[in-house]
Amino acid sequence: MKLPSRVQLIDVGPRDGLQNEKQPVPAAVKIELVQRLQGAGLKEIEVTSFVSPRWVPQMADNAEVMAGITRQPGVRYSVLVPNLKGWEAAARSRPDEIVVFGAASEAFSQKNINCSIAESIERFAPVVEAALAAGIGVRGAMSCTVGCPYEGEVSPERVAMLARLMKGIGVQRVDVADTIGTGTPRKVQRAIEATLTHFDIDDISGHFHDTYGQALSNTYAALEMGVWNFQSSVAGLGGCPYARGATGNVATEDLVYLLQGLGIETGVDLELLVDAGVFISAALGRKPNSRVATAILNKRG
């Protein structure tokens, strides 16, 4: 099967990557990270989350971060929005896209947002409607599409159901997310096949965590199906607070190296991307969690 000639990456490091950090990360550091990512050529960046600071104190500076970034033409800046109150706050920051979320696992939905899958979709319906009316794009994050920390394997039928519900409220594109990183290539392909019953291939992105070291294999499996939009996290930042032991999203550096090796265009400067990973990792007091970044840094000496 012919692979895509170009892939667009969404770096979720500033939001998904940092939200679970215990130590406070200053707004100035988050702003600098976004600047460095777009300087390296990233055209889509998930910047922050408009959730209650009581639940996610790391994102309490959301408006400050959005106001502080220097926006570049052609770059899409997205934010996570949990409800109408979050939408009202987010709208003042003028994002290009909001992200709503739902799980293919009933147990995960209850643990994560204290409601059923159906209730979560009901909650998001007015948010999606308001965003579309304001001319702001809407992406739906579909979590636990292959595995759940509470239910184990998740069937493709559950994924198709969630995709149908998201399509029904007006979500324009969706992420097929292996939230806890237990997926393998064929399972990921089945989840994508299920999603394709309601969304076109151009409106599907892959979001693969690397807990079991399968993220790049799963990316290749998605590429074989024609997926050309992927999410990753600079320096491999992140994890899942509701899944013990789950590691971060696949490192953007590792993903770019794979894609370059396949002759697939990304528009990303790998050296500048490594520098961005070094910057945020230094701010957190550790080394980048990226094999490619480690190799390049060793080579630099």
Side-chain angles (χ1 to χ4, degrees), residues 128 132 138 165-172:
V128 174
L132 294 177
V138 180
L165 292 172
M166 286 203 164
K167 188 73 170 181
I169 62 170
V171 169
Q172 295 168 309

Side-chain angles (χ1 to χ4, degrees), residues 137-153:
V138 180
R139 193 171 89 240
M142 302 200 306
S143 59
C144 294
T145 61
V146 292
C148 167
Y150 312 107
E151 294 182 6
E153 282 201 29

Side-chain angles (χ1 to χ4, degrees), residues 90-146:
R92 292 191 286 272
S93 290
R94 299 178 299 105
D96 298 301
E97 181 178 64
I98 64 163
V99 183
V100 297
F101 48 90
S105 154
E106 201 66 66
F108 191 86
S109 184
Q110 291 287 355
K111 291 277 188 181
N112 191 12
I113 53 178
N114 301 310
C115 68
S116 69
I117 295 170
E119 287 169 338
S120 73
I121 296 297
E122 267 183 48
R123 181 186 298 175
F124 282 123
V127 175
V128 174
E129 183 180 6
L132 294 177
I136 292 173
V138 180
R139 193 171 89 240
M142 302 200 306
S143 59
C144 294
T145 61
V146 292

